[in-house]
Amino acid sequence: MASTETPIAGIAAPRRADTPFRRFLSDFTDSRLAVLAAIGLAIVILAALLAPWISPQNPYDLAVVSVFDARLPPGSQSMDGVTFWLGTDGSGRDLLSAILYGLRISLSVGVASAAIALTIGMIVGLVAAYAGGRTEGVIMRIVDIQLSLPAVLIALILLAILGKGIDKIIIALVIAQWAYYARTVRASALVERRREYVEAAACLGLSHARIVFRHILPNCIAPLIVVGTVQTAHAIALEATLSFLGVGLPQTEPSLGLLIANGFDYMLSGKYWISVFPGVALLITIVTINIVGDQLRDALNPRLQK
Amino acid sequence: MSAAPLLALDAVSKRFVRRLDAAEKIVNLFGGKRREEVVHAVDSVSLQIAEGEVVGLVGESGCGKSTLGRVVAGVHAPSEGRVLWRGRDVESLSGAERREATLKIQMIFQDPMSSLNPRMRVRDIVGEAPRVHGLVSGDEIADYVDRMLLRVGLDPSYKSRYPHQFSGGQRQRIGIARALAVQPDFLVCDESIAALDVSIQAQVLNLFMDLREDLGLTYLFISHDLGVVEHLADRVVIMYLGRVVESAPAVELFADPNHPYARALLAEVPRIDTRKRVFQPVKGEIPSPLAPPSGCHFHPRCPHAKPRCREQAPALREIAPGRMSACHLNDG
Amino acid sequence: MSRETILEVRDLRTHFFTKAGVARAVDGVSFSLARGEVLGLVGESGSGKTVTGFSLMGLVDPPGRLVSGSIRLGNEELAGLLEEGWRRLRGRRIAMIFQDPMMTLNPVLRIDTQMIEAIRAHVDISRSAARERAREALARVGIPSPDERLSAYPHQFSGGMRQRVAIAIALLNEPDVIVADEPTTALDVTIQAQILYEVQKLCAETGLAMIWITHDLAVVGGLADRVAVMYAGRIVEQGPVDAVLDAPYHPYTHGLIGSVPSQNRRGTRLTQIPGMAPSLLALPEGCSFAARCPRADAACKVLPDLLELSAGRTARCHHPHGLVETTVGEDA
Ligand SMILES: Nc1ncnc2c1ncn2[C@@H]1O[C@H](COP(=O)(O)OP(=O)(O)O)[C@@H](O)[C@H]1O
Ligand SMILES: Nc1ncnc2c1ncn2[C@@H]1O[C@H](COP(=O)(O)OP(=O)(O)O)[C@@H](O)[C@H]1O
Ligand code: SF4
Ligand code: SF4
Ligand SMILES: [Mg+2]
Ligand SMILES: [Mg+2]
């Protein structure tokens, strides 16, 4: 055995005891704006999660909502002395509470549809890249056709068929968006598949499933995360659009889009806040997600890494 | 050799076809002349490698060395011909026998970075295959990985790290440990030291020689560096544009190459003990494998080419015991 | 050598001021170059060869900076020149060839366009005269039918031909010095030999001086007049090629030469240098080779000076090979 030993002492310690995650963190925090956006996004998500506990009022509880408080401007007091910091809407709900609950619905719809679309697109993209040949050709044609149609159009048509409801809108959003993930995953899986570590895995007699999901997939995660964030923002915006157009969610569960639509009628009579504040909340959500997504793209881009 | 060779290639060819994409097919509908491009990366190569032998495979880039190595290692299936492992056609094996044949032939790659999965820790890179195949039980795997790392000269305390935290030479050792972990008999080394620094190359070459001694490994050692092959190989096979042009014991080949291409190639090798030499290069470029020259592929560059060489491909024939060459000059 | 000195580099220091610390990539490099001479600059990757070349060309970008030292080309001092001054010199009096010829070539422009621009950036001649000069330059580096090739795009050339075009571009304005950074490393031996042949002829015929950067001692042996060996940012040994390669003073040079396979008996373990090059960010005190050096002792804790050990030969070592017996011999 002695002859095999190349003196270990002669082999210096590997460089820097860092992990990919720590490197990523230091790259991500390079941009101040992105850190601010990440903090902002965290607050938005927390606010949505904690809505039932931090809202001054439960906007769905008809017992506490009074029509006499309808359309009060920001800062007004209610009949029983509660302050409406952002005013009230057309049916007398505290706007701040309505926004927090609406945010909750918008975010859940966006995240749920993005997660499902991501899973479907990821599997389809991986299969296409790994199988190649005819399978890949057929899958990618479908993806191309899907991507050439505007997402709103697809969603509108589907909702016209399916009807209203949270589940329906999630289905519509998933169908409108899975193709983006499929295309992204396929592109990076094609690159990874040609790497020698995949050949090495084949030499080691590992199964196709193991090669695809344990070896190729983890190396395609970075672009998926980036597309995932951006598409979540798209999904939220799309849902708002659909709700605004009146084909999305039912009035009983108002998302931000519906709140904006409801307030829109009062815009001309000077009661701007009913539409504008939900709009601002939507804007902040979408913009922070996009900034975070952009910085993720830079921080996760292997070509920019030294 | 009385027993069947450990590994044999029987008239193996590998073609790569670049199919037309949809756009090109449409162009053709309107009278375009796009055709499928076919690369004969390996063109009817036969080769026997005996147990314990080190065969050096040399040739210029694009001549099909890596493709041949991948066919041997089972990464590519041959387009034609058979790969025989211990006398049995690998394609005809199935189940446990097929797996056995796959595991017994392992490959060491050129690029020490891209041949290791960047998202896996060293202990998983080395330990995954033996665990999956049940070569080692779950509670012994940690010890087993340590032994493999020690064997290739790495400190096992680094096994929780990722590949990017190691130097090039260390990464190459990780790749070797990964291959050794499935207890192979045969290593295909494809330019395995080309990407390393000179002083590190010597370390890794020594490791290969030690492993051969200790484990009785057989090697197909692919390299464009003739000095390395001369040092290591028992037998050398020279390829030119997909075909074997000469195969001979290393000592004899370097003393007296037969094929004109082999002679030219050996003459070009810069050697540290030939100073201020006057370079007298072979003329011409390496032709594209998409459109190899007719007859003997080497004829446009060969100083001895005759009209016959343009028309007829010379067969690989035995010119002396254990020596093969493919050149019309040997026909007398 | 009585030939006129054209380039004189004294105590060149180029450091990189990075987040992780100061990397002294070039730390006190001195050498001189006579007309018609080829200086081989060898060393492992990361030893500072490319940064030395870039410093001579004024191409060091932040975070790198030329910290001190002098570069005299003819009777002009280059260290401290502003970008304007460098632009005037670059390509006219001193030119560079890179490992990747596409560093020089613009993929979307025809060769003639690029060459004519390169000439007219420095001299005021007509387009047709410039084109004629470009044609001559292509012919001089052995490109067949230069007239046709002039109107081709870079992607229509093979790797070897592209490198020749890059060399032709470097030659256009008949510079005094060419810095060639591993221009044949990526090429096949037969193609490398063709290029070395052309370069050898050029230097002999035109009195062009050349710095040939490579990690391949054999290429240096075949091509260069003198050799400088770099290790961790410093030149550790310098002298005429024959003398250095036959009887190196420095233990690192000694180890490098010893680890070349052809210097070892066939099939034996290679003499290897243990360990690997230190990180420039964490250089040990004293001699930076100490951790790998079989001769290291307490004296090596102090950085040795580059001393002239015999006529025209310098080395940076407290215990050089070849001299030790006479200096510390028992009966001395
Ligand atoms: N996967 C592939 N697809 C298409 N062509 C390939 C593939 N692999 C290799 N080739 C082609 O086959 C020929 C031989 O390549 P290779 O075996 O890599 O040569 P070498 O290793 O000797 O440089 C080359 O022309 C190359 O372009
Ligand atoms: N842009 C840069 N930023 C930081 N350090 C650099 C940079 N370029 C080069 N270096 C340092 O200079 C050292 C020498 O590099 P180089 O001259 O390219 O080596 P060689 O050409 O000998 O392989 C490297 O090890 C690196 O630490
Ligand atoms: S067959 Fe003809 S062209 Fe080919 S190597 Fe022999 S002599 Fe040269
Ligand atoms: S100075 Fe000392 S450590 Fe450095 S090379 Fe010479 S003997 Fe070795
Ligand atoms: Mg290859
Ligand atoms: Mg370099």
Side-chain angles (χ1 to χ4, degrees):
Chain A
M1 185 75 198
S3 62
T4 348
E5 290 320 308
T6 312
I8 295 171
I11 295 174
R15 287 176 288 131
R16 305 196 309 272
D18 60 357
T19 60
F21 179 70
R22 254 194 251 166
R23 255 197 316 174
F24 157 75
L25 211 60
S26 110
D27 284 345
F28 185 89
T29 50
D30 266 357
S31 152
R32 250 225 214 114
L33 179 65
V35 174
L36 279 179
I39 294 172
L41 183 57
I43 293 174
V44 167
I45 293 173
L46 271 180
L49 284 176
L50 301 177
W53 295 279
I54 58 170
S55 306
Q57 188 188 68
N58 179 352
Y60 305 150
D61 185 354
L62 295 177
V64 299
V65 176
S66 158
V67 217
F68 299 115
D69 292 333
R71 299 184 292 278
L72 292 179
S76 318
Q77 300 264 311
S78 80
M79 316 249 293
D80 20 346
V82 183
T83 311
F84 297 124
W85 292 109
L86 299 183
T88 59
D89 71 359
S91 42
R93 279 186 289 218
D94 172 36
L95 202 52
L96 176 60
S97 307
I99 288 175
L100 288 173
Y101 274 81
L103 197 58
R104 197 173 156 86
I105 293 173
S106 291
L107 275 181
S108 346
V109 170
V111 171
S113 59
I116 300 171
L118 183 145
T119 312
I120 295 174
M122 179 183 85
I123 294 173
V124 170
L126 281 174
V127 168
Y130 193 73
R134 192 135 296 187
T135 319
E136 183 180 20
V138 172
I139 293 179
M140 292 325 287
R141 278 308 82 72
I142 298 175
V143 167
D144 285 345
I145 293 169
Q146 168 102 59
L147 289 178
S148 63
L149 300 171
V152 193
L153 191 65
I154 299 177
L156 270 175
I157 295 172
L158 283 166
L159 285 174
I161 301 169
L162 296 171
K164 284 188 176 187
I166 286 204
D167 49 343
K168 312 283 181 352
I169 198 160
I170 289 179
I171 294 175
L173 291 178
V174 167
I175 293 178
Q177 298 203 311
W178 70 274
Y180 290 92
Y181 298 97
R183 185 180 58 179
T184 307
V185 171
R186 172 180 167 265
S188 43
L190 274 183
V191 175
E192 294 301 323
R193 200 185 65 153
R194 299 222 178 85
R195 302 247 159 130
E196 290 174 339
Y197 70 80
V198 175
E199 288 181 15
C203 281
L204 292 169
L206 303 177
S207 66
H208 293 308
R210 184 172 271 275
I211 293 178
V212 170
F213 290 104
R214 291 289 187 77
H215 289 252
I216 296 182
L217 176 57
N219 288 290
C220 303
I221 291 290
L224 255 188
I225 293 177
V226 174
V227 174
T229 28
V230 175
Q231 287 299 342
T232 306
H234 277 185
I236 293 172
L238 204 54
E239 179 272 322
T241 314
L242 295 168
S243 296
F244 185 84
L245 294 176
V247 294
L249 293 170
Q251 281 290 349
T252 48
E253 293 157 297
S255 69
L256 291 177
L258 205 49
L259 289 179
I260 300 172
N262 290 343
F264 205 63
D265 302 335
Y266 305 112
M267 276 299 259
L268 291 178
S269 50
K271 308 213 167 51
Y272 65 91
W273 62 89
I274 308 179
S275 254
V276 166
F277 288 129
V280 170
L282 183 66
L283 196 69
I284 291 176
T285 311
I286 291 174
V287 168
T288 51
I289 296 180
N290 273 315
I291 294 175
V292 169
D294 257 12
Q295 183 67 8
L296 280 177
R297 188 195 313 273
D298 291 350
L300 293 171
N301 185 346
R303 265 163 307 182
L304 295 178
Q305 273 168 25
K306 319 93 220 164
Chain B
M1 267 171 289
S2 49
L6 184 64
L7 182 113
L9 300 182
D10 177 17
V12 162
S13 296
K14 179 71 191 174
R15 289 183 296 269
F16 293 104
V17 182
R18 198 185 69 83
R19 299 205 188 286
L20 297 181
D21 59 28
E24 285 169 315
K25 281 187 194 152
I26 292 169
V27 170
N28 278 357
L29 284 184
F30 294 97
K33 291 198 177 58
R34 303 291 161 84
R35 286 208 277 144
E36 292 188 340
E37 289 182 334
V38 182
V39 182
H40 284 260
V42 172
D43 189 1
S44 190
V45 168
S46 296
L47 191 67
Q48 281 91 39
I49 300 177
E51 187 135 26
E53 198 179 17
V54 177
V55 172
L57 181 60
V58 300
E60 291 173 285
S61 58
C63 73
K65 306 184 295 295
S66 298
T67 306
L68 191 69
R70 282 167 165 78
V71 169
V72 167
V75 174
H76 290 328
S79 312
E80 267 161 38
R82 299 182 305 157
V83 180
L84 302 156
W85 174 249
R86 295 191 186 275
R88 304 183 56 191
D89 187 346
V90 174
E91 288 291 313
S92 73
L93 300 177
S94 58
E97 285 180 321
R98 180 67 181 263
R99 201 194 72 185
E100 167 91 1
T102 309
L103 293 189
K104 287 297 173 194
I105 309 176
Q106 287 300 314
M107 192 151 175
I108 314 288
F109 297 88
Q110 165 165 8
D111 182 345
M113 196 66 221
S114 98
S115 60
L116 301 178
N117 189 334
R119 305 265 163 194
M120 281 168 85
R121 294 173 192 274
V122 170
R123 59 160 185 263
D124 297 321
I125 291 175
V126 177
E128 182 183 24
R131 206 181 54 237
V132 167
H133 294 304
L135 301 178
V136 188
S137 68
D139 43 339
E140 287 166 35
I141 192 78
D143 272 355
Y144 186 74
V145 169
D146 287 1
R147 282 215 304 282
M148 290 301 129
L149 292 177
L150 276 173
R151 162 130 264 161
V152 298
L154 284 174
D155 185 339
S157 61
Y158 296 146
K159 67 180 169 182
S160 301
R161 301 198 173 182
Y162 289 93
H164 77 266
Q165 293 171 286
F166 293 86
S167 72
Q170 289 169 327
R171 282 180 210 145
Q172 204 55 295
R173 286 171 196 264
I174 297 170
I176 298 171
R178 172 180 62 191
L180 294 182
V182 294
Q183 299 155 12
D185 293 337
F186 189 112
L187 289 188
V188 177
C189 303
D190 187 4
E191 303 277 7
S192 307
I193 59 162
L196 306 176
D197 265 320
V198 187
S199 76
I200 308 298
Q201 283 189 355
Q203 294 174 357
V204 175
L205 274 180
N206 280 341
L207 176 61
F208 281 133
M209 289 198 282
D210 294 339
L211 292 174
R212 176 193 192 187
E213 193 125 302
D214 297 350
L215 305 174
L217 293 177
T218 306
Y219 287 90
L220 178 63
F221 200 90
I222 300 172
S223 178
H224 67 275
D225 186 337
L226 286 148
V228 169
V229 168
E230 178 179 16
H231 186 78
L232 209 65
D234 302 316
R235 194 151 56 88
V236 177
V237 173
I238 300 183
M239 281 181 80
Y240 189 75
L241 284 182
R243 296 182 185 157
V244 171
V245 296
E246 182 159 4
S247 159
V251 181
E252 292 175 35
L253 180 88
F254 282 92
D256 175 28
N258 172 277
H259 195 278
Y261 176 63
R263 272 182 258 162
L265 199 61
L266 295 192
E268 293 324 332
V269 184
R271 281 176 184 278
I272 208 162
D273 25 59
T274 41
R275 301 297 149 59
K276 265 302 192 189
R277 56 178 284 218
V278 181
F279 292 95
Q280 274 171 330
V282 233
K283 61 182 184 197
E285 296 205 38
I286 306 163
S288 157
L290 278 173
S294 61
C296 173
H297 285 345
F298 189 54
H299 83 253
R301 302 173 79 188
C302 179
H304 312 289
K306 309 257 179 316
R308 179 185 173 195
C309 305
R310 236 186 313 269
E311 282 137 32
Q312 195 187 356
L316 186 67
R317 291 197 302 113
E318 186 155 57
I319 51 164
R323 294 199 61 173
M324 314 270 277
S325 175
C327 173
H328 291 312
L329 292 180
N330 293 319
D331 296 347
Chain C
M1 232 169 298
S2 55
R3 283 180 291 185
E4 173 201 357
T5 298
I6 178 72
L7 180 72
E8 176 94 38
V9 177
R10 282 285 152 258
D11 200 34
L12 184 69
R13 284 170 207 272
T14 303
H15 299 174
F16 287 86
F17 300 86
T18 66
K19 261 200 248 172
V22 181
R24 301 196 168 89
V26 175
D27 202 25
V29 161
S30 306
F31 59 82
S32 61
L33 192 65
R35 282 197 190 278
E37 189 178 41
V38 180
L39 172 71
L41 190 58
V42 294
E44 294 180 84
S45 59
S47 59
K49 307 181 298 293
T50 297
V51 175
T52 304
F54 275 22
S55 306
L56 299 182
M57 296 289 299
L59 288 174
V60 178
D61 287 326
R65 190 153 53 79
L66 210 139
V67 178
S68 67
S70 131
I71 305 168
R72 288 195 79 80
L73 181 64
N75 41 26
E76 189 167 5
E77 174 60 52
L78 309 191
L81 274 187
L82 298 178
E83 183 52 28
E84 191 48 44
W86 281 113
R87 237 199 311 272
R88 186 171 46 78
L89 285 172
R90 262 200 305 260
R92 194 172 63 83
R93 296 200 55 203
I94 182 162
M96 190 154 179
I97 311 166
F98 304 91
Q99 176 170 347
D100 178 4
M102 293 314 285
M103 294 268 289
T104 312
L105 299 174
N106 183 333
V108 299
L109 293 181
R110 283 177 13 178
I111 298 293
D112 55 356
T113 320
Q114 304 190 37
M115 296 184 82
I116 291 169
E117 269 174 25
I119 299 173
R120 304 222 304 169
H122 293 290
V123 275
D124 189 17
I125 57 173
S126 72
R127 285 191 68 86
S128 58
R131 193 172 167 30
E132 179 52 28
R133 207 148 127 186
R135 202 193 63 81
E136 278 167 19
L138 287 187
R140 221 171 343 151
V141 294
I143 291 187
S145 47
D147 270 318
E148 291 159 37
R149 304 305 268 168
L150 261 181
S151 27
Y153 289 89
H155 70 86
Q156 294 170 303
F157 290 80
S158 67
M161 280 298 163
R162 254 180 244 160
Q163 195 56 279
R164 285 173 197 238
V165 173
I167 297 175
I169 290 180
L171 289 172
L172 279 177
N173 293 300
E174 291 167 356
D176 299 314
V177 177
I178 287 188
V179 181
D181 188 4
E182 313 229 19
T184 60
T185 300
L187 303 177
D188 279 304
V189 270
T190 59
I191 308 300
Q192 164 169 285
Q194 291 170 352
I195 287 183
L196 293 179
Y197 165 77
E198 305 291 352
V199 164
Q200 209 169 36
K201 226 170 45 168
L202 271 172
C203 291
E205 286 168 7
T206 63
L208 172 70
M210 199 141 196
I211 297 173
W212 192 272
I213 296 175
T214 176
H215 63 271
D216 191 339
L217 284 169
V219 168
V220 165
L223 183 72
D225 302 291
R226 278 189 314 123
V227 58
V229 182
M230 277 190 87
Y231 189 78
R234 303 192 181 104
I235 290 184
V236 295
E237 173 153 17
Q238 190 174 178
V241 164
D242 286 328
V244 173
L245 294 189
D246 287 337
Y249 286 139
H250 197 279
Y252 176 63
T253 323
H254 198 263
L256 267 191
I257 296 172
S259 63
V260 174
S262 65
Q263 297 297 107
N264 290 258
R265 229 181 59 242
R266 232 185 76 76
T268 57
R269 293 186 104 237
L270 300 167
T271 26
Q272 65 179 38
I273 307 177
M276 60 190 198
S279 155
L280 289 181
L281 294 173
L283 279 187
E285 211 159 293
C287 175
S288 38
F289 188 57
R292 309 172 74 185
C293 179
R295 300 191 152 211
D297 64 11
C300 306
K301 292 255 178 348
V302 180
L303 179 66
D305 288 325
L306 192 64
L307 292 179
E308 178 145 16
L309 298 181
S310 61
R313 291 190 62 182
T314 52
R316 193 188 274 281
C317 176
H318 293 302
H319 311 294
H321 283 266
L323 289 183
V324 178
E325 289 76 23
T326 56
T327 45
V328 296
E330 272 151 51
D331 42 15

